[in-house]
Amino acid sequence: MQQSSLIGNLKRLDMLSQEFFYMEFGCGKGELSRYINQCILEDVKGEKHQKKMEEKNSIKNGEGSHYGYGLIDRGKNRLKADSKIITDSESSESSQILPQIKRSKIDIKDLNVSKFLEDVDYKNVVTVSKHLCGAATDLTLKLLLNSDLFSKDKFAGVLIAMCCRHVCSHDQLLPQSKKYLFDHGFESKQSFNVLKKIVSWAVDAKDDKPTGTKFNEGDESNKCNESNGRTETNARNENNKVNAIDENNPSGLTSKQRQEYGLKARRIIDESRAFAMRSILGEDYNVELFWYIDDNITLENVCLSIVKQKNRMQKIENENSINCDKLFGQN
């Protein structure tokens, strides 16, 4: 479901197409890339591709196609999806689209994007990741900015589902992120480390089981609450669990309060990243933070997107043109 939502947002942002070369960071087996490929194949199924046989053969041989996947992960992964991406493409009705596949077993901090792409035929690059952990998000943003994608005007956008802000590193933050944090009261590494600890409350608080709160099973108020089908005692117990102070937690806060503070702390770190990218990229790119899935699926449900403005503006202009044609009855 999470992967489906991410791919849906790629399409919403006009970044789901065989015109892009996708780089998946922290890819693991490469399952997200495989599902992206399957969705693209489905989108182009049934379209008419009137090409000469030699052009079709050249695409099958990996020539003349800008489409593909760059898979980045430092771990050893079994049952990788690399070959499955090719198999899916070959067996599809859109089999003339045979993507390039390149995998690199490397830590993100050691990757040079420009060198990685030297032997890849690409037109525009889209960066994707599902649950890119802690400092890996900041490292990814750094190495993209340090690449030649921007000078060559080949950077199309980013879609990263972030997680684990409690293992972020102050040293790996972009300078503009540090400025944002400084301006909001986190002026040192020590204060940032405190912020990171609070972040963990965003995902841990719901699992807390407050101690020191006892309920009388023989309470006379243990009657059926007809409005919601629960007993009044059970309803009160649930409310008390959320609002009771955990005597084992040194914060002196209730579970609900800790979660609220944790979410705010997490948002501060996320906003520092968005602020940094807006400051660096200016008006050429649109930077957004949004919830990509309900928190009952995963509490790590915040996504960072960066989209090249002219791609979005071109799409809007095309839609406006179509609407005008319909309005005036033109074909």
Side-chain angles (χ1 to χ4, degrees), residues 44-87:
V44 301
K45 185 185 295 184
E47 292 182 0
K48 294 181 179 180
H49 299 277
Q50 298 178 353
K51 297 183 179 180
K52 295 179 181 179
M53 185 59 66
E54 57 269 21
E55 291 177 340
K56 183 175 179 180
N57 290 336
S58 69
I59 291 176
K60 282 192 173 185
N61 292 329
E63 301 173 1
S65 171
H66 304 300
Y67 177 49
Y69 298 90
L71 306 173
I72 311 298
D73 198 277
R74 66 181 180 182
K76 292 182 178 180
N77 297 285
R78 299 179 60 196
L79 304 175
K80 293 188 285 288
D82 308 29
S83 60
K84 296 177 182 178
I85 294 174
I86 299 298
T87 301

Side-chain angles (χ1 to χ4, degrees), residues 130-142:
K130 175 179 173 287
H131 288 178
L132 195 56
C133 188
T137 296
D138 303 296
L139 288 167
T140 297
L141 297 176
K142 270 187 178 180

Side-chain angles (χ1 to χ4, degrees), residues 291-308:
W291 293 309
Y292 74 96
I293 200 164
D294 291 339
D295 59 6
N296 62 343
I297 302 297
T298 175
L299 294 173
E300 297 285 15
N301 63 342
V302 180
C303 205
L304 169 69
S305 70
I306 304 173
V307 183
K308 200 172 186 178

